[in-house]
PDB file of all heavy atoms in Angstrom:
ATOM      1  N   VAL A 149     -18.473 -19.776  40.253  1.00  0.00           N
ATOM      2  CA  VAL A 149     -17.965 -19.127  39.054  1.00  0.00           C
ATOM      3  C   VAL A 149     -16.865 -19.990  38.477  1.00  0.00           C
ATOM      4  O   VAL A 149     -16.758 -20.120  37.203  1.00  0.00           O
ATOM      5  CB  VAL A 149     -17.292 -17.751  39.498  1.00  0.00           C
ATOM      6  CG1 VAL A 149     -16.508 -17.131  38.348  1.00  0.00           C
ATOM      7  CG2 VAL A 149     -18.453 -16.765  39.955  1.00  0.00           C
ATOM      8  N   VAL A 150     -16.031 -20.635  39.260  1.00  0.00           N
ATOM      9  CA  VAL A 150     -14.929 -21.566  38.801  1.00  0.00           C
ATOM     10  C   VAL A 150     -15.578 -22.745  38.067  1.00  0.00           C
ATOM     11  O   VAL A 150     -15.148 -23.061  36.819  1.00  0.00           O
ATOM     12  CB  VAL A 150     -14.075 -22.047  39.853  1.00  0.00           C
ATOM     13  CG1 VAL A 150     -13.150 -23.107  39.410  1.00  0.00           C
ATOM     14  CG2 VAL A 150     -13.195 -20.847  40.376  1.00  0.00           C
ATOM     15  N   LEU A 151     -16.605 -23.376  38.548  1.00  0.00           N
ATOM     16  CA  LEU A 151     -17.277 -24.487  37.814  1.00  0.00           C
ATOM     17  C   LEU A 151     -17.882 -24.069  36.465  1.00  0.00           C
ATOM     18  O   LEU A 151     -17.849 -24.752  35.485  1.00  0.00           O
ATOM     19  CB  LEU A 151     -18.266 -25.198  38.707  1.00  0.00           C
ATOM     20  CG  LEU A 151     -17.621 -26.028  39.860  1.00  0.00           C
ATOM     21  CD1 LEU A 151     -18.735 -26.523  40.727  1.00  0.00           C
ATOM     22  CD2 LEU A 151     -16.900 -27.304  39.183  1.00  0.00           C
ATOM     23  N   VAL A 152     -18.664 -22.890  36.564  1.00  0.00           N
ATOM     24  CA  VAL A 152     -19.316 -22.476  35.292  1.00  0.00           C
ATOM     25  C   VAL A 152     -18.267 -22.025  34.284  1.00  0.00           C
ATOM     26  O   VAL A 152     -18.452 -22.218  33.160  1.00  0.00           O
ATOM     27  CB  VAL A 152     -20.224 -21.280  35.774  1.00  0.00           C
ATOM     28  CG1 VAL A 152     -20.750 -20.608  34.442  1.00  0.00           C
ATOM     29  CG2 VAL A 152     -21.415 -21.840  36.474  1.00  0.00           C
ATOM     30  N   SER A 153     -17.100 -21.510  34.730  1.00  0.00           N
ATOM     31  CA  SER A 153     -16.115 -21.092  33.681  1.00  0.00           C
ATOM     32  C   SER A 153     -15.456 -22.290  33.063  1.00  0.00           C
ATOM     33  O   SER A 153     -14.907 -22.095  31.913  1.00  0.00           O
ATOM     34  CB  SER A 153     -14.951 -20.349  34.434  1.00  0.00           C
ATOM     35  OG  SER A 153     -14.278 -21.253  35.232  1.00  0.00           O
ATOM     36  N   LEU A 154     -15.660 -23.526  33.567  1.00  0.00           N
ATOM     37  CA  LEU A 154     -15.198 -24.745  32.789  1.00  0.00           C
ATOM     38  C   LEU A 154     -16.025 -25.111  31.624  1.00  0.00           C
ATOM     39  O   LEU A 154     -15.671 -25.881  30.825  1.00  0.00           O
ATOM     40  CB  LEU A 154     -15.108 -25.865  33.782  1.00  0.00           C
ATOM     41  CG  LEU A 154     -14.133 -25.733  34.880  1.00  0.00           C
ATOM     42  CD1 LEU A 154     -14.261 -26.904  35.881  1.00  0.00           C
ATOM     43  CD2 LEU A 154     -12.733 -25.620  34.545  1.00  0.00           C
ATOM     44  N   ALA A 155     -17.189 -24.506  31.512  1.00  0.00           N
ATOM     45  CA  ALA A 155     -18.129 -24.777  30.358  1.00  0.00           C
ATOM     46  C   ALA A 155     -17.512 -24.235  29.061  1.00  0.00           C
ATOM     47  O   ALA A 155     -17.872 -24.708  28.005  1.00  0.00           O
ATOM     48  CB  ALA A 155     -19.394 -24.159  30.551  1.00  0.00           C
ATOM     49  N   GLU A 156     -16.809 -23.186  29.090  1.00  0.00           N
ATOM     50  CA  GLU A 156     -16.239 -22.535  27.977  1.00  0.00           C
ATOM     51  C   GLU A 156     -14.791 -23.109  27.570  1.00  0.00           C
ATOM     52  O   GLU A 156     -13.973 -23.339  28.420  1.00  0.00           O
ATOM     53  CB  GLU A 156     -16.148 -21.065  28.120  1.00  0.00           C
ATOM     54  CG  GLU A 156     -15.736 -20.265  26.869  1.00  0.00           C
ATOM     55  CD  GLU A 156     -15.696 -18.790  27.219  1.00  0.00           C
ATOM     56  OE1 GLU A 156     -15.691 -18.360  28.410  1.00  0.00           O
ATOM     57  OE2 GLU A 156     -15.641 -18.045  26.189  1.00  0.00           O
ATOM     58  N   LYS A 157     -14.641 -23.283  26.178  1.00  0.00           N
ATOM     59  CA  LYS A 157     -13.386 -23.652  25.687  1.00  0.00           C
ATOM     60  C   LYS A 157     -12.738 -22.462  25.038  1.00  0.00           C
ATOM     61  O   LYS A 157     -13.472 -21.838  24.319  1.00  0.00           O
ATOM     62  CB  LYS A 157     -13.488 -24.815  24.702  1.00  0.00           C
ATOM     63  CG  LYS A 157     -13.686 -26.072  25.305  1.00  0.00           C
ATOM     64  CD  LYS A 157     -13.622 -27.237  24.214  1.00  0.00           C
ATOM     65  CE  LYS A 157     -13.777 -28.679  24.831  1.00  0.00           C
ATOM     66  NZ  LYS A 157     -13.683 -29.573  23.847  1.00  0.00           N
ATOM     67  N   PRO A 158     -11.530 -22.201  25.196  1.00  0.00           N
ATOM     68  CA  PRO A 158     -10.604 -22.806  26.191  1.00  0.00           C
ATOM     69  C   PRO A 158     -10.829 -22.223  27.577  1.00  0.00           C
ATOM     70  O   PRO A 158     -11.277 -21.141  27.737  1.00  0.00           O
ATOM     71  CB  PRO A 158      -9.142 -22.368  25.682  1.00  0.00           C
ATOM     72  CG  PRO A 158      -9.431 -21.069  24.978  1.00  0.00           C
ATOM     73  CD  PRO A 158     -10.809 -21.085  24.426  1.00  0.00           C
ATOM     74  N   VAL A 159     -10.388 -23.002  28.498  1.00  0.00           N
ATOM     75  CA  VAL A 159     -10.630 -22.546  29.905  1.00  0.00           C
ATOM     76  C   VAL A 159      -9.496 -21.498  30.224  1.00  0.00           C
ATOM     77  O   VAL A 159      -8.326 -21.607  29.885  1.00  0.00           O
ATOM     78  CB  VAL A 159     -10.432 -23.856  30.904  1.00  0.00           C
ATOM     79  CG1 VAL A 159     -10.508 -23.374  32.380  1.00  0.00           C
ATOM     80  CG2 VAL A 159     -11.549 -24.786  30.608  1.00  0.00           C
ATOM     81  N   ARG A 160     -10.007 -20.423  30.739  1.00  0.00           N
ATOM     82  CA  ARG A 160      -9.061 -19.324  31.130  1.00  0.00           C
ATOM     83  C   ARG A 160      -9.090 -19.121  32.673  1.00  0.00           C
ATOM     84  O   ARG A 160      -9.852 -18.547  33.311  1.00  0.00           O
ATOM     85  CB  ARG A 160      -9.597 -18.062  30.586  1.00  0.00           C
ATOM     86  CG  ARG A 160      -9.464 -18.109  29.056  1.00  0.00           C
ATOM     87  CD  ARG A 160     -10.026 -16.749  28.413  1.00  0.00           C
ATOM     88  NE  ARG A 160      -9.899 -16.902  27.045  1.00  0.00           N
ATOM     89  CZ  ARG A 160     -10.890 -17.208  26.184  1.00  0.00           C
ATOM     90  NH1 ARG A 160     -11.994 -17.675  26.717  1.00  0.00           N
ATOM     91  NH2 ARG A 160     -10.638 -17.233  24.877  1.00  0.00           N
ATOM     92  N   PRO A 161      -8.122 -19.882  33.378  1.00  0.00           N
ATOM     93  CA  PRO A 161      -8.125 -19.917  34.893  1.00  0.00           C
ATOM     94  C   PRO A 161      -7.836 -18.638  35.529  1.00  0.00           C
ATOM     95  O   PRO A 161      -8.561 -18.326  36.566  1.00  0.00           O
ATOM     96  CB  PRO A 161      -7.056 -20.885  35.181  1.00  0.00           C
ATOM     97  CG  PRO A 161      -6.247 -21.026  33.957  1.00  0.00           C
ATOM     98  CD  PRO A 161      -7.073 -20.723  32.842  1.00  0.00           C
ATOM     99  N   VAL A 162      -7.050 -17.813  34.945  1.00  0.00           N
ATOM    100  CA  VAL A 162      -6.867 -16.379  35.591  1.00  0.00           C
ATOM    101  C   VAL A 162      -7.988 -15.670  35.488  1.00  0.00           C
ATOM    102  O   VAL A 162      -8.511 -14.916  36.519  1.00  0.00           O
ATOM    103  CB  VAL A 162      -5.576 -15.795  34.980  1.00  0.00           C
ATOM    104  CG1 VAL A 162      -5.366 -14.329  35.396  1.00  0.00           C
ATOM    105  CG2 VAL A 162      -4.377 -16.620  35.041  1.00  0.00           C
ATOM    106  N   ALA A 163      -8.710 -15.605  34.329  1.00  0.00           N
ATOM    107  CA  ALA A 163      -9.954 -14.801  34.223  1.00  0.00           C
ATOM    108  C   ALA A 163     -11.010 -15.324  35.120  1.00  0.00           C
ATOM    109  O   ALA A 163     -11.741 -14.549  35.760  1.00  0.00           O
ATOM    110  CB  ALA A 163     -10.453 -14.792  32.795  1.00  0.00           C
ATOM    111  N   ALA A 164     -11.134 -16.668  35.263  1.00  0.00           N
ATOM    112  CA  ALA A 164     -12.130 -17.195  36.129  1.00  0.00           C
ATOM    113  C   ALA A 164     -11.888 -16.848  37.565  1.00  0.00           C
ATOM    114  O   ALA A 164     -12.807 -16.632  38.257  1.00  0.00           O
ATOM    115  CB  ALA A 164     -12.225 -18.818  35.905  1.00  0.00           C
ATOM    116  N   VAL A 165     -10.686 -16.969  38.034  1.00  0.00           N
ATOM    117  CA  VAL A 165     -10.487 -16.625  39.404  1.00  0.00           C
ATOM    118  C   VAL A 165     -10.549 -15.119  39.650  1.00  0.00           C
ATOM    119  O   VAL A 165     -11.134 -14.737  40.712  1.00  0.00           O
ATOM    120  CB  VAL A 165      -8.946 -17.129  39.845  1.00  0.00           C
ATOM    121  CG1 VAL A 165      -8.547 -16.575  41.233  1.00  0.00           C
ATOM    122  CG2 VAL A 165      -8.924 -18.634  39.823  1.00  0.00           C
ATOM    123  N   ALA A 166     -10.240 -14.366  38.820  1.00  0.00           N
ATOM    124  CA  ALA A 166     -10.414 -12.835  38.927  1.00  0.00           C
ATOM    125  C   ALA A 166     -11.856 -12.519  38.963  1.00  0.00           C
ATOM    126  O   ALA A 166     -12.320 -11.729  39.817  1.00  0.00           O
ATOM    127  CB  ALA A 166      -9.718 -12.170  37.730  1.00  0.00           C
TER     128      ALA A 166
END
Side-chain angles (χ1 to χ4, degrees):
V149 173
V150 168
L151 285 170
V152 168
S153 70
L154 296 175
E156 185 180 13
K157 281 187 177 179
V159 175
R160 295 180 177 91
V162 175
V165 170

